[in-house]
Amino acid sequence: MDHAKQKQSEKQAAYSTDSVNGHVEERAPVLKSSNRTGGPQVVPSEETRSHTSAVMESWKEERTRSIQDNEMNLPGIAAAYTSILRGLGEDPLRQGLLKTPWRAATAMQFFTKGYQEKISDVLNNAIFDEDHDEMVIVKDIDMFSMCEHHLVPFIGKVHIGYLPNKRVVGLSKLARIVEIYSRRLQVQERLTKQIAAAITESLQPPGVGVVIEASHMCMVMRGVQKMNSKTVTSTMLGVFREDPKTREEFLKLIKD
Amino acid sequence: MEYQKAAAEMNGVCNGNIIAEYNCHNGFSEQAMIESKKVAVQNKHEKSRKESEDESKLPALEAAYNTILKGLGENTDRQGLLLTPWRAAKAMQFLTKGYHETIYDILNDAIFDENHDEMVMVKDIDMFSLCEHHLVPFFGKVHIGYLPNKRVVGLSKLARIVEIFSRRLQVQERLTKQIALAITEALNPAGVAVVIEAAHMCMVMRGVQKMNSRTITSTMLGVFREDPKTREEFLSLVRS
């Protein structure tokens, strides 16, 4: 019990400075400085240096949720779902709903499994030296995430492009980065930025572009109820931000 | 507790009264007809989950969502999550608002005597529901067809019937049947056909993770079940 409480308070401490979802504001200085110098080398000024090193360290030492955490928390979450079913006026003892609290709790843990994974685990061994400096694009990556405001899914596609600087990354790793950040309680803007930041930090490329096009169930199933609306967000870093022709090439290639 | 009845399929219970039509007895249309006569009487006394109840249940739902967020390892004090329990509770109540409404309220005044005995179809009705097993959405399209027997129903009422039954914790098979039985009971037509084609997020976002899979269920009652040509006409109009 004490161990659990200690872990919980550790988690709280970790989250207050670097919330599980990741404070993008802390990462921002890294991106700004690379934009200012316009090159792949990050030349941090005095005040950003401490930010940068804090961010780089936190990126490598992200506090993750473990399988044991999941097992420990499952009964609590299942009990919460039972009271939700009662609160909605349903009968939790009818056949169809008997095991629903457990299924829903496990499903919710799956939808937030991005908290269990670290970028460094996923990427650490799949960066290769390759003499290639043309744009690399992986598009139409299916993305499923949870809106952190309503706990309702939003679904869409991610398109990633980057200009390698003699270092390329395994292609599936881009999709895995998307998985890690999308399987969390998210806001689409932050998700886009986190993916771009992760690729920037791991590869240090001259430029990264990420475009996400998604349909938000919180807008489709409830609220305004606009069936066909899509939300598009993009993050352009480095050369993609500065050079309009590069950006245009990327945007043209991801259009179908 | 009024809901603690072993046999009561809450999905068809309003305030403790079992509505026979919503108990799907692996549908023989004759049995549905008999049950549906019983239901016509019960409908008049149906009371739905009151909206005031929603207000009073909200704090409990909020507390439950708070527990869930903490259990997932999130920091419930961060800005994006501060009001999330309240928003999620209200969203869940909206997504199960079908428990509020009764068929009787919606249909009672929109049935007209019309000398029409050809098929009437309303198709591509967008449907959003919640899987009762995982509490994850499933959504798709509903196609409804019926052969009026001198009585037609207002077209939007078909869509409203879909809304009532889909905004609940559902199983797609039961949803299809409930829609068909409600139309049968209200209109006594010569036949009713309902086809639902949906994507289940519980299969797409988790589990087997098959993005493009669709589940199709159908209920054919009356002439649609007995006469293959009628059924074929309906299905080809759905597909076109």
Side-chain angles (χ1 to χ4, degrees):
Chain A
M1 276 297 265
D2 285 335
H3 177 65
K5 276 197 202 138
Q6 199 181 27
K7 264 190 140 172
Q8 202 68 10
S9 58
E10 259 174 33
K11 249 190 254 180
Q12 299 287 0
Y15 295 166
S16 52
T17 53
D18 181 30
S19 91
V20 176
N21 207 302
H23 278 307
V24 179
E25 301 74 48
E26 284 177 31
R27 297 189 201 285
V30 180
L31 313 171
K32 271 194 218 138
S33 55
S34 71
N35 283 345
R36 267 205 296 277
T37 58
Q41 309 301 326
V42 171
V43 181
S45 62
E46 261 310 305
E47 73 268 9
T48 60
R49 187 171 294 139
S50 52
H51 277 288
T52 315
S53 56
V55 166
M56 292 302 281
E57 275 166 25
S58 72
W59 173 70
K60 287 194 162 57
E61 295 165 17
E62 263 168 20
R63 166 73 171 91
T64 51
R65 196 173 80 186
S66 67
I67 311 248
Q68 289 77 23
D69 287 333
N70 277 353
E71 276 172 20
M72 254 185 346
N73 291 323
L74 195 62
I77 304 179
Y81 271 114
T82 311
S83 66
I84 288 175
L85 290 177
R86 267 199 209 99
L88 295 174
E90 267 281 8
D91 170 17
L93 296 177
R94 71 174 172 90
Q95 191 210 34
L97 294 187
L98 259 181
K99 293 208 212 136
T100 291
W102 295 94
R103 283 187 290 243
T106 317
M108 202 45 132
Q109 286 184 334
F110 182 89
F111 295 142
T112 53
K113 73 175 167 64
Y115 295 134
Q116 290 169 228
E117 293 149 357
K118 286 196 290 191
I119 300 287
S120 50
D121 293 330
V122 163
L123 282 184
N124 240 4
N125 32 19
I127 298 181
F128 308 104
D129 296 310
E130 197 71 35
D131 189 14
H132 185 86
D133 57 0
E134 297 283 340
M135 199 183 296
V136 177
I137 298 180
V138 180
K139 66 179 197 169
D140 292 331
I141 303 172
D142 288 305
M143 177 275 302
F144 306 97
S145 190
M146 292 294 274
C147 155
E148 72 178 14
H149 298 141
H150 300 92
L151 300 185
V152 170
F154 66 96
I155 325 171
K157 291 192 191 293
V158 184
H159 313 284
I160 302 177
Y162 72 102
L163 269 171
N165 186 19
K166 311 294 183 198
R167 294 171 76 195
V168 298
V169 68
L171 299 169
S172 78
K173 303 303 175 278
L174 295 172
R176 286 185 194 275
I177 293 177
V178 170
E179 269 289 297
I180 288 185
Y181 285 118
S182 61
R183 298 289 186 183
R184 298 182 176 192
L185 303 185
Q186 274 290 8
V187 162
Q188 192 178 329
E189 296 85 338
R190 186 196 307 139
L191 171 61
T192 323
K193 215 175 198 95
Q194 284 178 326
I195 296 172
I199 301 172
T200 305
E201 284 177 15
S202 55
L203 285 180
Q204 307 286 351
V208 175
V210 178
V211 172
I212 300 188
E213 186 181 323
S215 163
H216 288 243
M217 291 295 109
C218 53
M219 264 181 77
V220 168
M221 286 178 76
R222 60 164 290 286
V224 276
Q225 301 197 55
K226 296 295 180 190
M227 313 285 152
N228 302 316
S229 70
K230 290 206 184 340
T231 306
V232 181
T233 52
S234 65
T235 298
M236 304 288 172
L237 301 178
V239 167
F240 283 80
R241 178 175 282 213
E242 281 142 31
D243 182 5
K245 285 205 174 303
T246 314
R247 200 183 325 153
E248 200 185 309
E249 182 187 340
F250 171 61
L251 294 175
K252 197 172 283 186
L253 285 170
I254 62 174
K255 206 185 298 194
D256 44 28
Chain B
M1 291 251 275
E2 55 194 12
Y3 300 124
Q4 305 276 343
K5 286 180 186 138
E9 294 290 322
M10 171 57 199
N11 206 299
V13 171
C14 285
N15 271 7
N17 297 319
I18 302 172
I19 312 300
E21 84 198 47
Y22 305 164
N23 281 342
C24 296
H25 312 282
N26 288 339
F28 291 108
S29 54
E30 310 83 46
Q31 188 166 7
M33 287 300 165
I34 299 170
E35 305 280 24
S36 62
K37 303 260 189 301
K38 271 195 252 171
V39 166
V41 174
Q42 265 173 325
N43 262 352
K44 291 189 173 60
H45 303 296
E46 247 174 40
K47 286 193 214 84
S48 56
R49 188 182 85 183
K50 291 193 177 51
E51 305 201 12
S52 52
E53 271 180 34
D54 272 358
E55 279 299 316
S56 61
K57 295 263 166 55
L58 202 54
L61 291 173
E62 280 184 55
Y65 273 111
N66 218 315
T67 315
I68 292 173
L69 289 176
K70 287 208 174 72
L72 294 174
E74 265 284 4
N75 170 20
T76 46
D77 291 324
R78 69 178 173 87
Q79 191 209 34
L81 293 187
L82 268 180
L83 286 177
T84 290
W86 180 80
R87 281 185 292 242
K90 292 225 71 123
M92 197 51 126
Q93 284 184 332
F94 179 88
L95 296 175
T96 52
K97 72 175 166 67
Y99 294 126
H100 271 310
E101 296 145 358
T102 68
I103 302 289
Y104 188 64
D105 297 326
I106 290 182
L107 282 184
N108 230 13
D109 33 2
I111 299 180
F112 309 102
D113 296 310
E114 197 72 33
N115 193 8
H116 185 85
D117 58 357
E118 297 282 343
M119 196 185 302
V120 178
M121 267 187 67
V122 179
K123 65 178 201 166
D124 292 331
I125 302 172
D126 288 306
M127 177 275 301
F128 303 94
S129 190
L130 278 178
C131 154
E132 74 178 13
H133 298 141
H134 300 92
L135 300 185
V136 169
F138 68 95
F139 44 84
K141 292 192 191 294
V142 183
H143 312 285
I144 301 177
Y146 72 101
L147 264 171
N149 187 16
K150 310 294 185 202
R151 293 169 77 195
V152 299
V153 69
L155 298 169
S156 79
K157 304 303 174 278
L158 295 172
R160 286 185 194 274
I161 293 177
V162 170
E163 271 286 297
I164 287 184
F165 289 114
S166 62
R167 299 286 185 187
R168 299 180 178 194
L169 301 187
Q170 273 290 8
V171 161
Q172 192 177 327
E173 296 87 337
R174 186 196 308 140
L175 172 61
T176 323
K177 207 165 209 105
Q178 285 177 329
I179 296 171
L181 288 179
I183 300 170
T184 305
E185 182 253 316
L187 286 179
N188 262 329
V192 176
V194 178
V195 172
I196 300 188
E197 185 180 330
H200 289 243
M201 289 298 104
C202 53
M203 264 181 77
V204 169
M205 283 177 78
R206 60 166 291 288
V208 275
Q209 299 196 55
K210 295 295 178 190
M211 314 284 151
N212 302 316
S213 70
R214 297 271 178 281
T215 305
I216 303 180
T217 52
S218 65
T219 298
M220 305 286 171
L221 299 177
V223 165
F224 283 93
R225 176 174 284 216
E226 283 140 31
D227 183 2
K229 285 205 174 302
T230 315
R231 202 185 321 156
E232 202 183 304
E233 181 187 343
F234 171 69
L235 293 175
S236 64
L237 286 171
V238 164
R239 239 174 267 134
S240 65

